[in-house]
Amino acid sequence: MMKHSVYLCMLLNVVFAGCGESPTSVVSGPSVMVTYESQPLADVQVTLHATETGPALAQAVSASDGRAYFQNMPLPEPSEYLVSLQSLGDGGWILDPKYAQAAKSRLRLQPLTDSELQTIELPRGAVSALTPSRRR
């Protein structure tokens, strides 16, 4: 009986995870804005690291307004975060693979709990269309 309960709980978690915004979604606290060509970029996983090859200290995913809110921040925060990014959605675009590694991305952020909203403005060419554009 208990074995079936565990499977039922796991199934319900999967079902509810796919039902859009959950009631426990974080929309407050430390956050960053992700933009490309001055437009918000959604479905980008933002990962904060203390060193180029270090583990993830915190992760968040940007919403349709480009804001990525972090639930769990390390305390104390490092003096600077190294950032890696990964595209999670199928919005018809993909990030340059170099952004998936903090050592190659060259993206840096100041501590989030002490500062105003910081923006990660991706440079031209960082985002590519999955479908090539047609030229006439």
Side-chain angles (χ1 to χ4, degrees):
M1 179 74 172
M2 187 168 174
K3 188 175 186 180
H4 294 293
S5 297
V6 170
Y7 289 124
L8 179 60
C9 287
M10 289 171 53
L11 177 62
L12 289 174
N13 282 336
V14 170
V15 169
F16 286 121
C19 291
E21 291 288 324
S22 68
T24 58
S25 292
V26 174
V27 291
S28 65
S31 66
V32 297
M33 175 77 73
V34 182
T35 61
Y36 180 69
E37 295 184 346
S38 300
Q39 297 298 313
L41 199 55
D43 298 323
V44 176
Q45 179 176 290
V46 180
T47 304
L48 305 177
H49 309 266
T51 63
E52 288 182 347
T53 57
L57 298 178
Q59 289 183 328
V61 177
S62 63
S64 59
D65 64 356
R67 297 270 302 255
Y69 292 91
F70 295 89
Q71 283 187 9
N72 300 311
M73 297 299 298
L75 292 175
E77 286 188 274
S79 60
E80 178 181 67
Y81 287 108
L82 288 77
V83 181
S84 62
L85 304 174
Q86 184 175 359
S87 54
L88 298 180
D90 184 16
W93 57 271
I94 191 167
L95 283 173
D96 183 325
K98 78 176 184 181
Y99 291 100
Q101 297 178 13
K104 293 183 179 179
S105 77
R106 298 183 183 244
L107 297 172
R108 305 289 187 264
L109 291 171
Q110 297 303 309
L112 300 182
T113 55
D114 298 345
S115 62
E116 294 181 20
L117 178 65
Q118 297 176 67
T119 299
I120 299 170
E121 172 68 35
L122 293 168
R124 179 170 275 232
V127 175
S128 301
L130 289 174
T131 308
S133 61
R134 297 181 184 176
R135 295 185 184 196
R136 295 183 182 186

